[in-house]
Amino acid sequence: MAVLLLVCGLAAACGGSPTEGGRGTASVTTSPNGGGTGPGSTGGAGSIHLREIASLDSPVAMAIRRGDPTMYVAEQPGRVIALSDGTVDPTPVLDLTGQITTGGERGLLGLAFSPDGRYLYVNYTDLDGNTNVVEFEMDAGGRADMRSRREVLFVKQPFPNHNGGNLVFGPDGDLYIGLGDGGSSGDPMDNGQNLRVLLGKMLRIEPRLPDGSLPPGGAHYAIPPDNPFVGRSGARPEIWAYGLRNPWRYEFDRATGDLWIGDVGQGAYEEVDLQRHGSRGGQNYGWNLTEGSHLYGNATAPPRNWTRPLFDFSHDDGSCAVIGGFVYRGSAIAWLRGAYLYTDLCRGELLAAREAGGRVTQQLDLGLHVDSPSSFGEDAAGELYVLSLSGPMYRLVP
């Protein structure tokens, strides 16, 4: 059962996956007063709607590029697709379909653009199932120049699941790379708490120096000098935070700079972690001694330096894998501003939470359902999108 749930982390069809609710447009009216659950459910009523804007091949990630109105979407089989004014460009921005292993939790899993928009970074599993983070320069026509390919990071994967896959440039201009614990079940290699390995970690690196030049000495990337484990014996300097099981999706709040991490649980709990802007890193989120806010396995105590999740939720309601999203900062849905949106792969219900002082003050079921949700996206205006492994890409609208 545990292995099945792990595979469900990216599989489009597995026991317990949502089959209720139709594809395409769904519309409800929801009230944060009447529909909220948990502490302090207050707020004004509003009507929200999911508008399908495209149908793609297993979309799993979305990115935007500075000065470019186009939305870029990663399809798990290996293509990056451009979507502009509601039209899908039939010519891929990047096609890696012959270079990757896909299916289950493998494939093209993440993409991000450098802050200046000049470079595209992708995260994928190669033909041997190992993690590759690769850089491509964008050409004048809005395509990735295949001749410019440069490997930034390579990580050997011992098992086929828990590859992480997300890529996000933070407000500091550095690249954050989330890696799962290596897979199987229960972290059998104890990677989550081992600072000598990159698995089970959030990494923070500089693919290029701030002036755009390559790191000296032929290095693939530079280490920010203020990373928490720089100069510490027995610890990899790339590590920003650790004790993560599979941080499938994490994003920065564009207004505050806070980092929200959706970390997929084992067989009982899903968790969402919150790291404040200005953090110096080094957080230990507990895996595999804890799962959510609970002890895991034979652990008798959490780590001494444990950073508890902001909140967790049980599998008792059919949940199986948290899909982390964004704090809504758009203008179209005023009553939703400041709420963090997330969902679960198996349940598919869109949920929201508000936080103050490190505590959840409001939780909402938005009354919207998406089959096999894989990820969220945010456009330049702060409006949000939901991607489904079944194909549809939706925009959240009033």
Side-chain angles (χ1 to χ4, degrees):
M1 181 62 176
V3 174
L4 175 62
L5 290 177
L6 298 176
V7 174
C8 286
L10 273 179
C14 58
S17 293
T19 56
E20 300 175 0
R23 289 180 53 179
T25 302
S27 180
V28 302
T29 298
T30 181
S31 167
N33 280 318
T37 60
S41 291
T42 60
S47 177
I48 55 176
H49 184 78
L50 284 175
R51 177 181 300 159
E52 183 173 340
I53 62 169
S55 183
L56 303 169
D57 186 2
S58 300
V60 293
M62 172 185 148
I64 55 175
R65 183 184 179 202
R66 183 178 178 180
D68 183 351
T70 302
M71 294 183 291
Y72 296 85
V73 181
E75 295 181 323
Q76 189 181 0
R79 291 172 293 273
V80 176
I81 301 298
L83 180 64
S84 183
D85 295 326
T87 301
V88 176
D89 190 331
T91 303
V93 173
L94 176 66
D95 190 343
L96 299 172
T97 51
Q99 304 175 38
I100 70 172
T101 299
T102 188
E105 296 184 34
R106 291 171 165 178
L108 175 57
L109 304 178
L111 76 165
F113 287 96
S114 59
D116 62 6
R118 184 176 175 184
Y119 299 99
L120 170 66
Y121 296 86
V122 291
N123 188 335
Y124 65 88
T125 52
D126 62 23
L127 294 175
D128 295 318
N130 297 315
T131 289
N132 292 255
V133 177
V134 176
E135 172 194 276
F136 294 91
E137 187 168 5
M138 296 292 286
D139 65 22
R143 304 271 189 266
D145 183 351
M146 297 298 291
R147 298 168 299 178
S148 70
R149 183 189 188 281
R150 183 177 76 89
E151 185 173 283
V152 175
L153 180 73
F154 173 87
V155 179
K156 187 172 179 59
Q157 293 286 354
F159 299 102
N161 53 348
H162 300 186
N163 300 300
N166 205 20
L167 296 176
V168 177
F169 277 92
D172 51 17
D174 296 327
L175 181 61
Y176 289 73
I177 304 171
L179 288 172
D181 63 10
S184 189
S185 177
D187 192 11
M189 302 175 74
D190 293 324
N191 289 323
Q193 295 294 311
N194 184 359
L195 292 174
R196 296 179 181 273
V197 301
L198 299 182
L199 296 170
K201 312 298 189 299
M202 183 71 71
L203 311 182
R204 178 186 183 233
I205 65 170
E206 296 177 345
R208 288 177 174 265
L209 301 182
D211 64 1
S213 63
L214 291 174
H220 293 270
Y221 54 85
I223 305 294
D226 58 347
N227 267 12
F229 298 107
V230 168
R232 176 171 163 177
S233 178
R236 295 287 299 263
E238 298 95 331
I239 296 172
W240 176 252
Y242 64 111
L244 293 162
R245 183 176 175 276
N246 192 22
W248 166 243
R249 288 295 175 257
Y250 50 89
E251 302 293 347
F252 287 91
D253 181 343
R254 63 164 56 193
T256 67
D258 294 340
L259 175 60
W260 293 73
I261 306 170
D263 192 18
V264 178
Q266 176 66 45
Y269 298 98
E270 303 299 307
E271 76 176 69
V272 173
D273 302 307
L274 175 60
Q275 185 183 104
R276 295 292 186 195
H277 177 62
S279 166
R280 296 183 179 181
Q283 287 84 357
N284 182 356
Y285 291 110
W287 178 252
N288 66 352
L289 300 177
T290 61
E291 181 188 10
S293 58
H294 308 264
L295 292 178
Y296 174 76
N298 296 322
T300 58
R304 287 181 297 174
N305 61 340
W306 183 33
T307 297
R308 296 177 65 97
L310 176 65
F311 66 91
D312 64 9
F313 56 95
S314 169
H315 288 192
D316 290 347
D317 62 359
S319 296
C320 70
V322 63
I323 307 295
F326 291 82
V327 175
Y328 179 69
R329 297 297 180 185
S331 59
I333 310 169
W335 63 267
L336 199 56
R337 289 179 196 151
Y340 172 72
L341 272 66
Y342 65 103
T343 185
D344 179 86
L345 174 75
C346 289
R347 286 193 63 209
E349 314 299 333
L350 296 193
L351 306 168
R354 296 184 187 274
E355 172 274 337
R359 297 178 63 88
V360 174
T361 59
Q362 184 184 49
Q363 289 183 317
L364 304 172
D365 183 338
L366 299 181
L368 297 172
H369 179 275
V370 174
D371 286 344
S372 302
S374 63
S375 190
F376 288 80
E378 182 184 44
D379 67 18
E383 302 303 330
L384 296 188
Y385 300 78
V386 188
L387 281 59
S388 166
L389 284 169
S390 301
M393 176 177 173
Y394 302 101
R395 178 171 176 166
L396 194 63
V397 297

